[in-house]
Amino acid sequence: MSFLQHLEELRWRLVKSAIAIVTCAIVLFVYQEWIMDNIFLIMLDNNFISFKLLCHWFDVCTPPTPVEMQSMNVSGQFSYALWMSILGGIVVASPFIFYQLWAFIRPALKGTERSAMGGLVFYVSLLFLLGILFGYFVVTPMTIQFFGNYKISTQIQNIFTVDSYMGMILSTIFYTGLFFLLPIASYLLARLGIITADFLRKYRKHALVGVLILAAIITPPDLISQVIVSIPIALLYEIGILTAARVEKKRNKENINN
């Protein structure tokens, strides 16, 4: 294919992805009130499933979050309904988007490279969606609960704007989904020879400290919450090490055979 043909191919892949995102976004926009009440605002209730499980299994029970919501801008509610729908459309359509990206890159790969990256779309989609779920059920509720109940003075009431509330929730969930792609990033960087398993092992302690600091920032100041958030992130780092080691082992085997 010529350069212009590659551009045409990329254009149609992007158009298909955009159509999928817009279609999902329209469906979500139609059900915006139900989504807002039952998916986002429900995090203020101590009957939210994450809080109930935390109370049942770890005896860490939380009160309802005493927060009032308001919109300070004329277009505030509409803007975030639109933003929520678009970002939700990206999440729902993410497996299709990842497939379109893979379908564009795949023809440029050699046969061995295609087989080595077989199932990449499945693993990327799986890890991204797991990250979204982890961000929604673990990270975000704890953050909302902490800041909603925190008061520097009893004379000051927490009144969140829809902008700050939804902005924090959507960004936290989305970035957590991206963070769960760490093993995929380790795999690709190892394939390119940029990182090695020994490099990741060498800086394991530094990474662990970073994970603990991150967990302390995004969770309430209690040990159980920090451990709950830290363990999956630390496991992802270890999976990244194993992934890099597997890539190196396979590369060495190919070099010996050649």
Side-chain angles (χ1 to χ4, degrees):
M1 295 175 65
S2 65
F3 178 72
L4 292 178
Q5 287 175 324
H6 279 294
L7 287 180
E8 182 68 13
E9 174 72 11
L10 177 61
R11 184 174 75 89
W12 278 110
R13 297 292 178 186
L14 293 177
V15 168
K16 291 177 182 178
S17 299
I19 292 174
I21 293 172
V22 171
T23 302
C24 294
I26 291 174
V27 175
L28 295 176
F29 190 83
V30 171
Y31 295 97
Q32 57 179 281
E33 183 176 357
W34 186 92
I35 293 172
M36 190 67 183
D37 292 339
N38 296 279
I39 294 181
F40 294 111
L41 292 180
I42 196 173
M43 291 184 186
L44 299 173
D45 194 335
N46 62 343
N47 286 321
F48 184 62
I49 184 170
S50 300
F51 298 142
K52 292 175 68 174
L53 292 176
L54 200 63
C55 182
H56 179 74
W57 292 104
F58 299 99
D59 199 28
V60 179
C61 303
T62 60
T65 307
V67 170
E68 295 182 19
M69 300 291 296
Q70 64 178 347
S71 178
M72 300 292 291
N73 299 319
V74 174
S75 61
Q77 295 195 54
F78 176 79
S79 297
Y80 264 89
L82 194 62
W83 176 237
M84 175 187 69
S85 300
I86 294 173
L87 200 57
I90 294 175
V91 172
V92 175
S94 58
F96 181 78
I97 296 172
F98 293 142
Y99 171 76
Q100 292 300 318
L101 292 175
W102 168 246
F104 174 72
I105 297 172
R106 187 175 182 274
L109 302 178
K110 299 177 181 178
T112 55
E113 293 173 333
R114 292 180 187 177
S115 60
M117 293 189 178
L120 185 63
V121 174
F122 170 77
Y123 291 116
V124 170
S125 302
L126 177 64
L127 288 173
F128 180 69
L129 294 177
L130 285 176
I132 293 292
L133 293 175
F134 182 74
Y136 176 76
F137 286 106
V138 179
V139 180
T140 305
M142 290 182 177
T143 306
I144 290 292
Q145 195 273 336
F146 171 69
F147 286 113
N149 284 282
Y150 181 83
K151 290 185 178 181
I152 194 173
S153 170
T154 55
Q155 299 183 44
I156 303 175
Q157 301 299 316
N158 284 325
I159 303 177
F160 292 170
T161 64
V162 66
D163 294 26
S164 62
Y165 181 80
M166 290 299 295
M168 194 210 68
I169 290 179
L170 294 176
S171 60
T172 300
I173 292 175
F174 189 73
Y175 289 133
T176 305
L178 294 179
F179 193 83
F180 264 59
L181 296 179
L182 178 61
I184 302 297
S186 299
Y187 174 79
L188 295 177
L189 292 175
R191 289 282 301 178
L192 295 173
I194 298 176
I195 64 171
T196 63
D198 290 337
F199 174 84
L200 295 176
R201 292 190 188 100
K202 179 180 178 181
Y203 291 97
R204 178 189 276 121
K205 294 180 180 179
H206 301 79
L208 181 59
V209 172
V211 167
L212 293 175
I213 293 174
L214 178 64
I217 293 174
I218 64 179
T219 61
D222 64 83
L223 182 61
I224 293 178
S225 299
Q226 293 174 16
V227 169
I228 290 174
V229 173
S230 299
I231 289 177
I233 299 176
L235 287 175
L236 286 172
Y237 189 85
E238 294 300 322
I239 293 173
I241 294 177
L242 295 176
T243 302
R246 183 179 178 182
V247 171
E248 292 174 26
K249 183 178 179 180
K250 190 171 183 178
R251 183 188 295 121
N252 294 333
K253 184 177 181 180
E254 290 174 353
N255 293 334
I256 293 174
N257 293 334
N258 294 332

